[in-house]
Amino acid sequence: MKTAGHSEATAHRGLELTPFRGLRYDPDRVGSLAAVTSPPYDVVVRPDGLHHLESSDPYNIVRLILPQAATPRARNEQAAETLRRWLAEGVLTTDPEPCLYVYEQRDGDGMLQRGIIGALRVSDPAEQVVLPHEDVMPHVVADRADLMRATSANLEPLLLTYRGGGPADATADLIERTADRPPLLTTTTEDGFRHRLWSVTDPGDLAAIRTDLARHQALIADGHHRWATYRRLRAEHPSPSPWDHGLVLLVDTARYPLRVRAIHRLLPTLPVEEAVAALEGLFRVSRFDLPLAEALEVLADAACAGNAFLLAGDGFFHLVDRPDPGLLARTVPADRPAAWRTLDATVLHSTLLDHVWGIPDDAPDRIAYIHDTAATVEKAERDGGTAVLMHPVREDVVRDLARQGVTMPRKSTSFGPKPATGLVLRALDL
């Protein structure tokens, strides 16, 4: 239920980023900063990836974002106890004063991303300050909310983008100036990315950022479930409270364009042979015996002409394209813009999953969402299921739909690079 404080907040416009006292690892208490970081919780989907992170360092952040115990309640209690213990032992320490953080990621291929981390005011959808572009799964929001309540912390930042530019681009100027200073920390993670972090505490700089960002709206690039969690928890706590804000990384994609990749589907209970047989007369299906990289090129070429997918799991790749127009007319909702109706993700969920294969898109035992292409294929082949490989959608399409208030099917895109989890946390009771 919304409080009076929340109603008053709707009168504000634009992004409101607030300094906070970050929690950070003491580098003298851990093996290395790289060894205690993790990808976002929803990227660590395979048990082998989870075990790899857990074994990399006893203080790896995955013990907080994905605690392992017999029940959900026990998992959350374990995460809360772990956080309390690490704070008491000095493994995690609190920065001395509230600040914003400039964050940089750079890889060996020339990818450079810089942004600013802070506590963003949580806003309602009607304000159109933070634009979602994907639907969420209620059980995932409930799970993240339980974890945040138990730990009273934002354990990892969302990735939000905005379009800067113009003569008074104070935030961009501040980021560039800050990146010339010695950083608070530098580390290189095993994916090859070098991470650097700086603090911004000068009152004049903080005021300039506040004024600049108030002119902008943001698109959720990664973290729809966590943003929905922020909104749920804000509604539970009378305002003003620390729950009025949530931890985010803001990136100006006018200066630092993100990579947009697809999120693939794994259907563990559907063998490829059955998946292909069900498509007869509805789509064109072509089989290829190719390496993965070449098969993805085939998919990219086909996607230029219309909806296209790659199925895998039996040692071959099956290109699925040229859907029957009548089938699409019967199965794709007609009350959305054409850009939404023609999305691959829309056709996959409305036509293939719902109509042809009869698989609910929110049943964890029947569908999984995996970012890594090779891992999706390998798991399908190992389990006897079907991997559905997707072609990525362009960022401008995502942003245009979001501005119209139209959400895409869940897990439609993967923007990156994503911020490393574990470099800076936000405790809500500090």
Side-chain angles (χ1 to χ4, degrees), residues 3-241:
T3 68
H6 297 149
S7 298
E8 291 170 4
T10 60
H12 298 286
R13 301 299 300 177
L15 299 167
E16 298 176 24
L17 199 64
T18 300
F20 69 102
R21 295 178 64 199
L23 288 182
R24 296 191 293 114
Y25 281 99
D26 181 343
D28 295 330
R29 297 296 308 273
V30 298
S32 72
L33 290 175
V36 295
T37 64
S38 163
Y41 79 97
D42 57 339
V43 179
V44 187
V45 294
R46 294 179 298 158
D48 54 342
L50 180 63
H51 297 154
H52 171 72
L53 291 166
E54 287 181 328
S55 62
S56 64
D57 190 283
Y59 299 115
N60 188 281
I61 192 68
V62 78
R63 287 180 166 79
L64 298 183
I65 63 172
L66 289 173
Q68 298 300 294
T71 66
R73 181 174 180 178
R75 289 196 294 271
N76 296 326
E77 290 175 349
Q78 177 177 294
E81 173 55 32
T82 299
L83 179 57
R84 285 193 293 267
R85 186 174 70 254
W86 290 358
L87 287 168
E89 294 175 353
V91 173
L92 286 170
T93 61
T94 308
D95 280 335
E97 58 184 316
C99 58
L100 300 177
Y101 297 87
V102 170
Y103 176 49
E104 176 188 278
Q105 293 164 277
R106 186 192 297 266
D107 70 5
D109 297 327
M111 178 74 185
L112 173 64
Q113 178 173 289
R114 287 176 178 154
I116 193 156
I117 294 174
L120 184 71
R121 180 182 66 87
V122 179
S123 55
D124 293 318
E127 296 181 67
Q128 290 200 312
V129 174
V130 175
L131 304 175
H133 70 268
E134 289 182 356
D135 295 330
V136 297
M137 292 174 273
H139 73 276
V140 177
V141 175
D143 174 74
R144 291 293 101 184
D146 289 341
L147 179 63
M148 286 191 203
R149 286 191 203 96
T151 58
S152 191
N154 299 151
L155 301 173
E156 46 187 337
L158 284 66
L159 175 59
L160 306 185
T161 72
Y162 70 101
R163 303 291 289 179
D169 203 345
T171 304
D173 292 342
L174 182 279
I175 288 173
E176 301 307 312
R177 284 191 285 110
T178 302
D180 289 332
R181 296 176 5 212
L184 291 175
L185 65 85
T186 300
T187 190
T188 300
T189 45
E190 63 179 15
D191 58 4
F193 272 92
R194 185 183 70 162
H195 307 262
R196 297 199 295 168
L197 191 76
W198 298 262
S199 62
V200 179
T201 58
D202 179 80
D205 288 338
L206 295 174
I209 292 171
R210 182 169 58 250
T211 300
D212 179 33
L213 292 179
R215 303 181 295 118
H216 295 292
Q217 64 179 183
L219 175 74
I220 301 176
D222 186 68
H224 283 82
H225 290 90
R226 283 166 285 163
W227 181 254
T229 300
Y230 289 171
R231 293 190 57 245
R232 174 181 291 193
L233 295 174
R234 184 204 63 166
E236 293 176 1
H237 295 81
S239 183
S241 83

Side-chain angles (χ1 to χ4, degrees), residues 59 70 129 209 245 284 288 349 404 418 424:
Y59 299 115
V129 174
I209 292 171
H245 295 77
R284 183 180 70 169
F288 297 91
H349 285 251
Q404 296 177 60
K418 305 178 191 304
V424 60

